[in-house]
């Protein structure tokens, strides 16, 4: 069965409408959302309401968490101090706009969703704020999937869609217990299972180099993954950003499709939240 | 190069600490003493040990201390960890254990405890109570090698010294690798990665401690008070 996974809608109503239309057109009726319904964009209530109305199973994103819990994110959530300042502005604006009912909805979203051996999270199984970048250490990436007891891990948060397969892994160890250097030891080798990480990209704030919204379609039977790009009315959202008084750079960013000089790149960072 | 002594899990036991200090006085070339947490615990009053760590006696090595699981629980319960309380302790051992822990440490020591760090990085070694993930991460000889490799990678170190399990052990990663294939909108990339030569060492607890020589990469698992058997095998 083919199912669609979307992430990082970021209060961009036009982009969400276009992506849902694209999914509908293909006759796919199972959709999972990996969070970040709000933040940066101009229509937080409209986006939350559309997700609620369509009853799309959703897990909590970093923005959804912070809007409720307050800004207690570790510095790692923002790739630079400038980005952090702008993020704070958007945070305040979004918190003011959201209805109590919609805030409640975001507050009660689960950290993760699971269907058989498929696991859905926003950032990583450890935290909504941890980035699983496509080039992160392969063993560390596999550890995230294995520790969460999944075969395939769906994540978002990087705004950059990718499919990563980890295979033919093995680790050899020499173990000594209660014995100093040079004492008797035991050698072991473990073979690591094949696992996949599928990043759904971003519907409402793409950063992959062009303005199209991105999401993924996964076919459980065949194992194929399609990364979909969907054009939408970018100008409509950009106008709404400027009219709402949000920092104009968010509109500029949507028109260019990447976060200028602000790609998060610290996968080894130990989040201290 | 001078050697390090690594101890943990004293839980208020001043006698064990004195026995280790006595051992170290007779051990050559040890000039640094690391205390990887759990200097306190609920089973006895910890004030005398805490005072001693803060004011070493003449001739004793000055300890460099981290906080461990028990310090973290006490700091949480006393309001030093934001909204978090000693929930893990409460859940695992009940309210009486929380009360006992509060009783075991004079509030006058809280300032010192609150200053303790999570870990030290020395040369290419990470010295931690649990792991780079959390203070409660208990690594032992049966831990998954994948998990150990992740914990080493997070700190970008070659050796990780841990104390939380209380066991003395060494796990060396000696080989292996993994294939990784990434596809995104720009295309497909293939990557082959080898297991780096790295090691996790459990230092023991209480009178069981470890001496490490960063110059030769040799370590000895010892038990204070049995110095004559310094090369003793297997007192686990
Ligand atoms: Zn996002
Ligand atoms: Zn996010």
């Amino acid at each position: 069965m083919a199912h669609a996974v979307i992430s990082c809608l970021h209060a961009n109503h036009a982009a969400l409408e276009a992506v849902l239309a694209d999914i509908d057109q293909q006759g796919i009726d199972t959709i999972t959302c990996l969070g970040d319904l709000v933040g940066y964009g101009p229509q937080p209530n409209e986006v939350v309401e559309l997700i609620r109305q369509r009853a799309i199973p959703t897990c909590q994103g970093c923005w959804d968490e912070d809007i409720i819990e307050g800004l207690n994110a570790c510095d790692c959530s923002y790739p630079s101090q400038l980005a952090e300042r702008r993020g704070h502005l958007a945070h305040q604006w979004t918190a003011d706009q959201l209805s109590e009912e919609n805030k409640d909805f975001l507050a009660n979203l689960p950290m993760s969703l699971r269907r058989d051996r498929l696991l859905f999270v926003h950032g990583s199984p450890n935290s909504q704020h941890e980035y699983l970048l496509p080039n992160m250490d392969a063993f560390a990436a596999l550890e995230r999937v294995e520790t969460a007891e999944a075969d395939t891990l769906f994540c978002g948060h990087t705004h950059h869609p990718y499919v990563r397969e980890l295979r033919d892994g093995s680790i050899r160890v020499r173990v000594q217990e209660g014995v100093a250097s040079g004492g008797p030891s035991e050698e072991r080798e473990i073979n690591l299972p094949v696992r996949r990480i599928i990043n759904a990209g971003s519907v409402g704030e793409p950063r992959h180099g062009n303005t199209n919204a991105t999401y993924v379609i996964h076919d459980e039977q065949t194992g194929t993954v399609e990364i979909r790009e969907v054009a939408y009315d970018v100008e409509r959202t950009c106008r709404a950003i400027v009219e709402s008084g949000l920092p104009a750079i968010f509109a500029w960013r949507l028109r260019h499709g990447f976060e200028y000089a602000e790609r998060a790149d610290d996968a080894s960072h130990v989040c201290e939240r | 190069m001078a050697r390090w002594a690594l101890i943990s899990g004293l839980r208020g036991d001043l006698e064990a600490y004195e026995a280790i200090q006595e051992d170290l006085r007779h051990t050559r070339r040890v000039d640094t003493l690391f205390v990887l947490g759990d200097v306190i615990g609920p089973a006895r009053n910890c004030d005398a040990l805490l005072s001693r760590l803060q004011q070493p006696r003449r001739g004793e090595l000055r300890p460099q201390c981290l906080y461990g699981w028990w310090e973290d629980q006490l700091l949480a319960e006393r309001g030093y960890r934001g909204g978090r309380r000693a929930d893990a302790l409460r859940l695992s051992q009940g309210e009486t254990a929380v009360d006992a822990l509060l009783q075991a440490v004079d509030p006058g020591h809280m300032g010192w405890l609150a200053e303790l760090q999570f870990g030290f990085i020395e040369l290419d070694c990470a010295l931690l109570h649990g792991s780079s993930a959390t203070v409660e991460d208990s690594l032992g000889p049966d831990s998954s090698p994948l998990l150990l490799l992740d914990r080493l990678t997070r700190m970008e170190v070659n050796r990780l010294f841990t104390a939380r399990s209380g066991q003395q052990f060494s796990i060396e990663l000696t080989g292996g690798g993994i294939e990784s294939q990434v596809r995104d909108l720009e295309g497909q990339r293939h990557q082959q990665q080898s297991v780096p030569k790295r090691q996790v060492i459990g230092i023991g607890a209480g009178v069981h401690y470890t001496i490490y020589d960063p110059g030769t990469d040799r370590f000895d698992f010892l038990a204070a008070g049995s110095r004559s058997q310094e090369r003793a095998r297997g007192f686990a």
Side-chain angles (χ1 to χ4, degrees):
Chain A
M1 184 197 72
H3 65 110
V5 184
I6 62 177
S7 185
C8 296
L9 324 182
H10 287 295
N12 184 339
H13 194 245
L16 178 58
E17 278 184 330
V19 163
L20 291 178
D22 191 67
I23 295 171
D24 292 344
Q25 216 162 51
Q26 293 171 78
I28 292 171
D29 49 19
T30 305
I31 307 175
T32 310
C33 174
L34 308 181
D36 273 5
L37 274 52
V38 301
Y40 301 126
Q43 294 115 355
N45 284 309
E46 291 86 334
V47 165
V48 173
E49 275 149 26
L50 184 49
I51 291 293
R52 292 174 60 192
Q53 183 196 326
R54 299 268 308 228
I56 295 172
T58 298
C59 45
Q60 193 178 54
C62 60
W63 274 87
D64 312 323
E65 180 195 23
D66 284 354
I67 286 296
I68 307 309
E69 309 252 316
L71 283 172
N72 58 357
C74 172
D75 291 342
C76 63
S77 295
Y78 291 102
S80 73
Q81 288 192 358
L82 194 64
E84 181 164 2
R85 239 186 345 264
R86 288 196 294 262
H88 285 196
L89 278 171
H91 172 93
Q92 196 48 54
W93 184 90
T94 305
D96 292 345
Q97 297 289 315
L98 272 174
S99 72
E100 285 308 310
E101 207 184 322
N102 287 337
K103 274 188 195 164
D104 250 22
F105 175 79
L106 295 181
N108 290 308
L109 291 174
M111 274 278 288
S112 64
L113 295 166
R114 192 182 283 274
R115 276 203 314 272
D116 306 318
R117 296 281 296 174
L118 308 184
L119 183 70
F120 302 84
V121 300
H122 177 70
S124 92
N126 296 337
S127 149
Q128 289 107 314
H129 291 265
E130 187 181 38
Y131 290 98
L132 297 186
L133 295 168
N135 56 351
M136 85 182 271
D137 181 279
F139 291 105
L142 183 63
E143 188 272 336
R144 300 297 185 279
V145 192
E146 262 305 272
T147 301
E149 297 178 357
D151 287 344
T152 301
L153 175 69
F154 290 90
C155 61
H157 188 48
T158 68
H159 295 209
H160 187 119
Y162 69 86
V163 185
R164 186 175 194 186
E165 186 166 280
L166 303 152
R167 64 180 133 77
D168 296 330
S170 68
I171 304 177
R172 272 197 306 283
V173 293
R174 183 182 302 133
V175 182
Q176 295 174 295
E177 277 183 71
V179 177
S181 304
S185 60
E186 181 205 336
E187 307 257 349
R188 278 205 300 260
E189 170 155 9
I190 61 148
N191 291 312
L192 302 169
V194 181
R195 296 289 182 257
R196 282 215 286 188
I197 296 176
I198 299 174
N199 190 304
S202 174
V203 170
E205 225 248 353
R207 294 176 199 166
H208 60 281
N210 74 47
T211 58
N212 292 339
T214 59
Y215 75 99
V216 295
I217 295 174
H218 173 236
D219 189 314
E220 280 183 71
Q221 252 81 59
T222 62
T224 54
V225 182
E226 185 187 355
I227 300 173
R228 298 278 301 173
E229 282 191 76
V230 181
Y232 72 98
D233 189 348
V234 179
E235 281 309 315
R236 191 179 116 199
T237 303
C238 291
R239 270 197 309 277
I241 286 174
V242 174
E243 279 161 17
S244 68
L246 278 162
I249 187 160
F250 296 147
W252 183 90
R253 218 155 62 174
L254 280 185
R255 286 196 190 98
H256 291 79
F258 62 96
E259 193 165 12
Y260 182 62
E262 287 177 350
R263 287 193 177 198
D265 60 359
D266 194 3
S268 63
H269 173 85
V270 180
C271 188
E272 285 168 10
R273 282 162 58 85
Chain B
M1 192 180 273
R3 301 194 292 167
W4 306 342
L6 300 131
I7 73 176
S8 181
L10 292 166
R11 301 199 190 176
D13 190 347
L14 179 59
E15 274 172 39
Y17 182 67
E18 285 180 331
I20 292 170
Q21 283 281 6
E22 180 59 24
D23 255 26
L24 296 178
R25 216 189 317 277
H26 302 283
T27 312
R28 282 180 307 127
R29 294 196 302 113
V30 173
D31 74 341
T32 315
L33 172 60
F34 292 108
V35 182
L36 306 191
D38 281 4
V39 297
I40 63 166
R44 69 178 89 206
N45 185 281
C46 305
D47 293 331
L49 175 60
L50 286 167
S51 299
R52 184 66 159 273
L53 292 168
Q54 292 163 73
Q55 286 112 30
R57 290 204 176 147
R58 185 193 292 270
E60 280 184 356
L61 282 177
R62 176 170 284 277
Q64 299 190 42
C65 304
L66 299 176
Y67 69 83
W69 189 83
W70 283 103
E71 288 83 21
D72 189 54
Q73 292 299 305
L74 179 65
L75 287 161
E77 190 61 22
R78 292 242 186 245
Y80 288 80
R81 292 286 191 263
R84 184 161 67 85
R85 293 290 170 268
D87 306 324
L89 174 59
R90 201 165 264 119
L91 203 67
S92 61
Q93 300 181 37
E95 200 59 47
T96 43
V98 178
D99 286 340
L101 183 62
L102 290 170
Q103 291 302 314
V105 178
D106 186 276
H109 291 298
M110 293 313 295
W112 182 78
L113 289 168
E115 294 282 297
L116 298 179
Q117 295 179 45
F118 173 75
F120 297 126
I121 303 281
E122 297 287 329
L123 307 172
D124 61 345
C125 303
L127 282 54
L128 299 160
H129 178 73
S131 83
S132 42
T134 66
V135 74
E136 68 176 322
D137 209 3
S138 181
L139 306 179
D142 299 322
S143 294
S144 132
L146 184 61
L147 187 110
L148 298 176
L149 183 46
D150 171 67
R151 303 306 189 247
L152 286 156
T153 304
R154 289 191 197 208
M155 299 298 265
E156 292 177 32
V157 292
N158 290 321
R159 260 162 297 276
L160 190 161
F161 290 89
T162 176
R164 170 84 172 120
S165 73
Q167 290 170 276
Q168 288 176 315
F169 66 91
S170 147
I171 304 177
E172 260 175 287
L173 306 175
T174 57
I178 191 167
E179 307 268 325
S180 161
Q181 185 118 20
V182 175
R183 174 165 60 87
D184 60 15
L185 292 166
E186 282 151 32
Q188 195 142 308
R189 295 180 297 287
H190 187 258
Q191 179 201 20
Q192 155 77 39
Q193 201 181 313
S194 312
V195 172
K197 298 244 178 302
R198 288 178 176 171
Q199 189 172 15
V200 175
I201 297 166
I203 63 158
V207 294
H208 296 279
Y209 69 102
T210 297
I211 291 197
Y212 178 67
D213 184 338
T216 61
D217 198 23
R218 253 196 88 86
F219 60 90
D220 289 305
F221 292 142
L222 303 171
S226 57
R227 221 170 29 81
S228 53
Q229 325 154 22
E230 188 160 314
R231 293 277 182 270
R233 299 277 186 252
F235 32 70

